[in-house]
Amino acid sequence: MMVFKIALRNILRNRRRSAMTVAAIAVGAIAMLIFGAFTTFVILGVRTTTVEHSGHLVVLRTGYFAFGTGNPAAYGIGDYQGVMKTIADDPTIGPMINVITPSVSLFGIAGNFAVDSSRTFIGTGVVPSDRDTMRKWNEYHLGGGRRPAPHPDLLSDDDITKGAVGVGLARTLGLCGPLEVPGCQAMPAARTEASPSVQGVAPAADLADLAGRDKDVGAGEPGCAKARIDLLSATAGGAPNVVNFCVSGTDQQSAKELDDGYVAMHLALAQQLVYGRGEHKATGIVLQLHRTEDMAAARARLEAIFKDKGLDLEVHDFTELNPIYNQIIGFFGAIFSFIAVIMMVIVLFTVVNTMSMSVMERINEIGTTRALGVRRRGIRRQFLVEGSLLGAIGATLGVVLALIIATIVNRSGMTWTPPGQSGSVPLFLLLAGAPGLIVGAWVVLIVVSTIASLMPASRAARMPVVDALRHV
Amino acid sequence: MNDAARKPVDTEAVVRMDQVVKVYDDDGLTVKAIDGITLAIPRRRFTMIVGPSGSGKTTLLNLMGCIDSATSGTVEVCGEDVAKLSDNAVSDFRAKNVGFIFQNFSLVPVLTAYENIEYPLLLLNLPAAERKKRTMAMLEGVGLAEHWNHRPNQLSGGQRQRVAIARALVKEPEIVLADEPTANLDSHTGASIVELMQRQQHERNTTFIFSTHDPHLMSYAHETFAIKDGAVVDHTMGAAS
C-alpha cells in the first residue's frame, strides 16, 4: 500500500512531466484502439459479408474442392436431402445450425442472343428463401441497424426461372437499360435496337434453334418482368442444355471478373441445367451457423459423421473457400501490428526517460530508504510500480478518449467502401463492443510501461547506499 | 592507534570494530578513509565520534550502520559480524536494529510526518494497530502530534529533524546513528533537538552514536572518540575537552 502511495504521490508531485508521459501513453492507446476498432469493424464486416453469402461450412463431394469445378456434374452429392437431414438431426451440430441449404455451382454461356451478345458465366443455384435467411445473419450486430439491408429479393422459391446477374454481366449482355441499373453503362443504341430477347421479343435467328430447347423451363409462366436471357451449359452426360432465365435484377460482386460473369438462380433451374432429366444433385451443402465460434466444433462433428456413415464427403470452411478473406484479415492485421509496435516504442522511450529522471531526482531518497532497511528488490519494485501506474493512468485516459472519439465518428455519418464490397457503407469504429481490444491495449501499454521502468528501477536498486546518501 | 582505542572491548558493547580499514578507490585514486580502527561502543549511551572534516567520521558511522562494508577488519554490530551477512540479510538487519538520523533530515518528501515515521514499521511487518500506536506515541514524544498530516516541505528544519528522530526511534532499534544531526539547524533549534534526543535516549535506553562538530551536542557525551585521518586519536569518558 505504501509502495502505491509513494508511487502515486511522486507521479502527482512532478505534474508536468507526468502529464507529458501520461499524454504520450494516452495517444498511444488512442492510436491503437481507434485503428484496432476500425480493423475490427473491417474484419467483422468482411466476415459477415462472407458468411452471409457462403455460410460457415460447405460440405462437398470428396475431390470437388480440388477438381470438381471443372466438372461439377461429376462431383454432385446424390442424396443431398438425406445428408442434410442427417446433419440437421444430429444432436451436436443441429442446434448450432442457422441455415442448411443445398447449392449447385455451374458454369456455361449466358446469352442475350437478340443483340448477339454472350459470355461465359459462373452460376450458383440456391434455395432463395434459405439465402434470404442467410443474408439476415448478423452475429456481430454491425452498425446497430445502420448496416445496409440484405439485398432485395431477386430470387423466388415460387419462380425458378427468376434470378440475378452481376452488374458487369448485365452490362455485357445489354441489360442495363431494361434492368434500370444505376451507374451501369448502357449498350450503344445501334447494338440495342434489335434486342429481341428483351421484354418479349423473339430470339435471334442463328440461336433460335438452341434457345428453342428451353421450352420446359418457364412454360406457363407469365413472362419475364424485366429481361430474359438464355443460359447454356453441358449436362452430366455432356449434352448441351439451355434454359430461359428471367433477370429480375443485379447483384454486384466485389471482384470485377466475378461480377462480369455472375449468375444467381434457383436451385431447381441450376439442377435442370446441369443434370437435365437425370438425378438432380447438389454440388455443395452450405451450413450457416448461429455463432462463428462453433465452426471448428461443427466441422469436427461433420467429419466424424461422414466417417461413421462412410459418406464420401469433405468439409471446408469459409476461409478456405474465400482466400481473399484471409488476405484482408492479414493485411489489416499487419497494419495494426505496425501501428501498435510504433506506439509501444514511443511509450517505451517516453517512460524510460521519465523514470530515469525520477530515479536521478530521488537518489538521496533511494539511499535513505535503503538505509532504513528496504531491500534492493523493494527499490526496484517501487519504481516498477510507479512506471506501471503511469502506464495505467495513461492507458485508462487513452481508453476513455478513444471511446469518445469512436462515439463521435460513429455519429458523424462518415462512410467508406470496405474491401470486398461494391458500395460505400457507414463507417463504424467498433470499440465499445470490443472489450478484448480495450483490455488488450490497456494491458499491453501497462506492460510496456513496466518494462520501460525496469532499466531505471534496476539502476536505482543497484545503487550503493552510501553513494546514494552522499548524492546532493 | 592510541591506548584508549586499544583498551579491551566492553562485553556490553553494541558495536565492536577490530582493525577496520576502509579504502575508497575513486577513479584510480585510492583514499584510506579508515585506517585500522579498533573500538567498542557501549550500549545505552550517548557516544560521540568527533573530528575535523574528512577525518572519517561519516565513514565510521556508515560501517556501524551496515550501509558500507570494511575493506578489511571485523565489524560486529549487536554481536553480528555484518560482513558475513548477505545483502538482503544486511537490509533486514538494518530494518530491525539500526536507526538513522541524517544531517539533511532525508525524509521521504511525498509522505506526511505520520507516514514517514510509520515507514520503518512497515518494513518490520507490524500489524496496523501496533504501527498506529507506536507512530502516534512517537509523534507525541517529539511534539508533532498536531503536524502529523504535514509533509516535509510544510515543516521547519527543526520539525523535520524531529520527524527524522521519531522515524529512527519508532522501531526501537539497538542503535541510532546520527550524522551531524544539528549541522543544518540554528543553535536554538539544535539545542532543543539535542535535548529531545537525550530525553528519548533516557526514556528508551537506546544507544545513540553521533558524528558531530557541534560543541553543544558534544557536551552531552557519555563517551567520546576523537578521530583524525581515519584513526582514533583519543577516547574520553564523557565529553571531549
Side-chain angles (χ1 to χ4, degrees):
Chain A
M1 192 62 196
M2 185 64 91
V3 172
F4 276 96
K5 196 182 284 184
I6 292 174
L8 184 61
R9 288 183 188 175
N10 272 301
I11 288 170
L12 297 174
R13 186 181 176 207
N14 297 290
R15 287 176 197 277
R16 188 180 298 172
R17 189 173 68 209
S18 297
M20 294 302 291
T21 309
V22 164
I25 297 169
V27 168
I30 290 168
M32 288 168 72
L33 289 171
I34 293 297
F35 192 75
F38 176 68
T39 301
T40 304
F41 171 65
V42 171
I43 290 172
L44 295 185
V46 172
R47 184 181 298 170
T48 300
T49 305
T50 307
V51 171
E52 276 178 359
H53 285 86
S54 312
H56 288 95
L57 297 167
V58 178
V59 176
L60 303 170
R61 179 89 174 269
T62 302
Y64 177 88
F65 188 65
F67 312 106
T69 50
N71 186 7
Y75 285 89
I77 302 170
D79 181 21
Y80 65 90
Q81 298 283 9
V83 174
M84 286 169 56
K85 186 173 186 317
T86 301
I87 295 170
D89 290 347
D90 183 79
T92 304
I93 197 172
M96 298 178 185
I97 297 172
N98 183 43
V99 176
I100 179 166
T101 185
S103 71
V104 169
S105 296
L106 69 161
F107 57 90
I109 296 172
N112 184 357
F113 300 114
V115 293
D116 292 334
S117 182
S118 64
R119 66 151 293 155
T120 55
F121 75 88
I122 301 168
T124 308
V126 299
V127 177
S129 57
D130 288 347
R131 289 291 161 155
D132 287 345
T133 306
M134 284 179 68
R135 288 195 172 201
K136 289 170 186 160
W137 186 86
N138 190 9
E139 180 183 2
Y140 308 108
H141 309 290
L142 292 184
R146 294 177 64 190
R147 196 168 60 99
H151 205 277
D153 186 11
L154 299 174
L155 287 80
S156 167
D157 282 351
D158 302 328
D159 183 358
I160 68 166
T161 64
K162 193 174 157 188
V165 297
V167 172
L169 183 61
R171 185 178 59 247
T172 307
L173 298 182
L175 303 177
C176 289
L179 295 175
E180 298 169 348
V181 183
C184 178
Q185 188 182 358
M187 189 174 278
R191 303 282 301 153
T192 55
E193 274 173 1
S195 298
S197 294
V198 177
Q199 191 57 32
V201 183
D206 58 340
L207 291 165
D209 180 52
L210 191 57
R213 297 183 188 180
D214 63 352
K215 58 184 183 294
D216 291 343
V217 180
E221 294 293 327
C224 298
K226 290 185 177 176
R228 195 193 76 192
I229 60 174
D230 295 295
L231 300 177
L232 287 77
S233 184
T235 65
N241 198 4
V242 60
V243 294
N244 267 345
F245 184 64
C246 294
V247 184
S248 53
T250 57
D251 187 2
Q252 188 165 20
Q253 303 301 297
S254 53
K256 183 179 185 301
E257 55 271 30
L258 178 61
D259 193 51
D260 286 349
Y262 177 74
V263 176
M265 66 189 80
H266 195 288
L267 177 76
L269 185 65
Q271 287 173 324
Q272 199 145 14
L273 199 51
V274 176
Y275 300 107
R277 292 188 176 87
E279 181 193 9
H280 282 190
K281 302 177 181 178
T283 56
I285 297 171
V286 176
L287 281 84
Q288 189 185 61
L289 308 176
H290 293 293
R291 301 183 310 169
T292 305
E293 66 183 68
D294 291 336
M295 196 165 73
R299 181 176 184 159
R301 181 61 192 152
L302 283 174
E303 287 168 347
I305 292 171
F306 298 156
K307 189 177 178 185
D308 287 349
K309 297 192 177 296
L311 296 172
D312 186 24
L313 300 171
E314 62 186 18
V315 187
H316 293 274
D317 65 41
F318 70 91
T319 63
E320 295 169 297
L321 297 168
N322 301 277
I324 195 170
Y325 174 82
N326 285 331
Q327 290 167 358
I328 292 170
I329 303 296
F331 174 72
F332 278 92
I335 295 177
F336 176 73
S337 301
F338 182 70
I339 289 174
V341 167
I342 288 177
M343 290 301 136
M344 283 192 278
V345 169
I346 290 171
V347 168
L348 188 88
F349 281 103
T350 305
V351 176
V352 164
N353 182 53
T354 299
M355 294 310 299
S356 295
M357 288 175 71
S358 184
V359 168
M360 291 302 292
E361 287 172 0
R362 290 158 61 191
I363 289 176
N364 195 261
E365 182 186 322
I366 293 164
T368 303
T369 49
R370 288 277 289 129
L372 291 177
V374 175
R375 293 181 177 186
R376 290 190 192 280
R377 71 171 177 224
I379 298 293
R380 189 180 295 114
R381 182 171 58 221
Q382 180 67 60
F383 285 96
L384 287 179
V385 166
E386 195 168 319
S388 54
L389 207 54
L390 269 175
I393 294 168
T396 305
L397 180 67
V399 167
V400 171
L401 292 176
L403 284 167
I404 292 170
I405 292 169
T407 304
I408 292 169
V409 170
N410 291 347
R411 291 182 179 179
S412 68
M414 291 167 69
T415 60
W416 84 302
T417 303
Q421 290 195 25
S422 52
S424 64
V425 298
L427 173 63
F428 273 90
L429 298 175
L430 285 177
L431 188 55
L437 173 67
I438 293 173
V439 173
W442 192 78
V443 170
V444 162
L445 286 171
I446 293 173
V447 169
V448 168
S449 299
T450 308
I451 291 170
S453 308
L454 198 57
M455 192 179 72
S458 296
R459 199 168 64 232
R462 284 196 307 270
M463 227 172 261
V465 183
V466 285
D467 290 351
L469 284 171
R470 211 180 291 148
H471 185 83
V472 181
Chain B
M1 189 66 51
N2 67 8
D3 292 336
R6 287 192 176 280
K7 76 176 188 179
V9 292
D10 187 346
T11 52
E12 281 295 308
V14 70
V15 177
R16 293 180 191 185
M17 290 187 160
D18 185 23
Q19 292 298 325
V20 171
V21 174
K22 178 64 186 178
V23 178
Y24 289 110
D25 186 0
D26 190 6
D27 289 336
L29 181 65
T30 302
V31 178
K32 193 177 262 187
I34 301 293
D35 187 7
I37 285 182
T38 297
L39 55 73
I41 306 283
R43 282 183 194 275
R44 304 185 189 93
R45 308 292 292 276
F46 248 41
T47 300
M48 306 286 166
I49 312 286
V50 300
S53 292
S55 59
K57 300 189 299 293
T58 299
T59 303
L60 200 58
L61 237 56
N62 289 343
L63 292 171
M64 293 176 185
C66 314
I67 56 175
D68 205 353
S69 55
T71 308
S72 65
T74 307
V75 179
E76 278 187 24
V77 182
C78 306
E80 194 81 53
D81 184 351
V82 292
K84 292 179 179 170
L85 298 176
S86 67
D87 190 70
N88 282 344
V90 168
S91 296
D92 296 346
F93 183 83
R94 282 198 302 269
K96 188 176 176 219
N97 297 302
V98 186
F100 286 93
I101 300 169
F102 299 101
Q103 179 180 336
N104 58 356
F105 324 126
S106 292
L107 301 176
V108 180
V110 295
L111 298 181
T112 63
Y114 180 95
E115 289 162 345
N116 265 290
I117 296 168
E118 186 192 26
Y119 194 101
L121 303 179
L122 290 165
L123 301 176
L124 297 176
N125 295 317
L126 293 182
E130 176 69 11
R131 292 200 308 266
K132 187 174 182 182
K133 183 181 152 194
R134 284 208 208 178
T135 305
M136 289 311 296
M138 282 312 308
L139 276 165
E140 295 279 354
V142 298
L144 286 175
E146 291 180 1
H147 297 80
W148 69 274
N149 203 25
H150 288 197
R151 291 198 187 176
N153 63 351
Q154 297 169 314
L155 298 171
S156 68
Q159 288 171 325
R160 290 183 208 182
Q161 198 59 300
R162 284 168 187 269
V163 174
I165 291 167
R167 183 180 65 182
L169 289 167
V170 72
K171 60 187 178 185
E172 298 171 358
E174 287 290 327
I175 57 173
V176 173
L177 300 166
D179 188 9
E180 308 271 12
T182 56
N184 281 356
L185 303 174
D186 62 70
S187 58
H188 177 72
T189 309
S192 69
I193 289 295
V194 173
E195 283 159 21
L196 172 67
M197 288 190 285
Q198 193 200 28
R199 191 169 66 245
Q200 292 294 332
Q201 190 275 329
H202 183 71
E203 288 173 3
R204 295 167 185 275
N205 265 332
T206 307
T207 306
F208 270 76
I209 306 170
F210 296 87
S211 82
T212 185
H213 287 116
D214 182 358
H216 180 70
L217 178 55
M218 283 190 252
S219 68
Y220 286 85
H222 296 132
E223 197 163 337
T224 304
F225 291 89
I227 65 170
K228 186 178 179 184
D229 297 331
V232 176
V233 293
D234 190 23
H235 177 200
T236 317
M237 300 308 290
S241 56

